Amino acid sequence: MLEVQNTLVHEDVLKQNFVCHLDKCKGACCIEGDAGAPLEEHELAILEEIYPQVKPYMTAKGIETVEQVGTSVKDFEGDYTTPCVDTNKECAYVIWENGITKCAIEKAYEDGKVNWKKPISCHLYPIRITAYPDFDVLHYDKWSICADACNFGDALNVKVYEFLKEPLIRKYGEAWYLDLKEKVEGM
């Protein structure tokens, strides 16, 4: 583990190559799994506030799900997540473009309808964060559906932390990212 300010970064984040390859996986991470996308507590109010602007981008089933259960739910472990359509199918905010999953929240953001891109857990994937009271632990979530992303990362020689520069800066700030980079280069 590498200590960077108030975080511990697992070595897989630093050494594993990874670049999303949506043409291959079709965005399977948005429709697979046992729960929706993890949400931070402050994101609950954001989702509630922006829902009216995001709703026009959503599928009928996604809207129906949110109207029934809310913009967020608690999962089986008691953590907040995005709701899923038909119990643990795709995230309620999933839309499709040319057979590839996209995010209705992100589309609304790209169109200037909202000023929040998407949940940080989605933006940071395949990094997952375990939050403790005084620090966060960042680890790489290895999942077979991302094998093509690892191969693509190998071909381009791009590490997880490099691929996720923008969301890491969004979460921890520019100074944190520069500190991370400096420490990695010094290894």
Side-chain angles (χ1 to χ4, degrees):
M1 296 260 198
L2 182 66
E3 186 175 346
V4 182
Q5 296 177 17
N6 60 338
T7 64
L8 293 174
V9 182
H10 194 277
E11 70 180 38
D12 285 351
V13 171
L14 312 174
K15 295 181 177 179
Q16 176 65 47
N17 289 326
F18 190 98
V19 174
C20 279
H21 203 318
L22 291 175
D23 289 338
K24 297 279 187 176
C25 73
K26 308 296 185 202
C29 59
C30 298
I31 57 174
E32 299 287 334
D34 56 8
L39 296 169
E40 295 184 354
E41 199 159 328
H42 76 277
E43 293 179 318
L44 305 178
I46 295 169
L47 269 175
E48 193 72 35
E49 180 184 328
I50 67 170
Y51 175 66
Q53 289 77 40
V54 173
K55 184 177 174 179
Y57 293 87
M58 295 172 64
T59 66
K61 285 184 109 178
I63 292 168
E64 180 182 337
T65 299
V66 170
E67 303 282 328
Q68 287 177 358
V69 301
T71 55
S72 61
V73 296
K74 277 193 177 182
D75 70 8
F76 61 93
E77 294 177 328
D79 297 320
Y80 289 104
T81 70
T82 60
C84 290
V85 171
D86 295 329
T87 311
N88 299 334
K89 290 290 184 184
E90 74 265 8
C91 171
Y93 300 102
V94 161
I95 58 174
W96 281 267
E97 287 183 355
N98 302 317
I100 296 174
T101 64
K102 300 285 180 153
C103 176
I105 300 165
E106 191 168 13
K107 292 300 287 182
Y109 172 83
E110 289 169 355
D111 286 350
K113 304 293 185 191
V114 298
N115 63 2
W116 188 63
K117 189 167 191 167
K118 57 184 165 183
I120 194 65
S121 68
C122 299
H123 203 184
L124 277 171
Y125 198 76
I127 290 177
R128 285 292 187 226
I129 299 171
T130 304
Y132 294 97
D134 296 327
F135 64 96
D136 288 349
V137 177
L138 284 69
H139 60 93
Y140 166 68
D141 185 34
K142 187 173 184 167
W143 196 2
S144 60
I145 64 173
C146 293
D148 287 314
C150 295
N151 293 336
F152 198 32
D154 286 343
L156 299 173
N157 194 28
V158 175
K159 307 294 182 218
V160 171
Y161 80 94
E162 294 168 322
F163 173 68
L164 296 173
K165 178 181 178 178
E166 177 189 337
L168 285 167
I169 290 172
R170 174 183 166 202
K171 174 70 177 165
Y172 295 109
E174 182 89 31
W176 180 94
Y177 189 81
L178 292 174
D179 191 17
L180 169 71
K181 219 173 146 193
E182 182 177 307
K183 287 180 177 180
V184 169
E185 289 168 0
M187 290 173 61

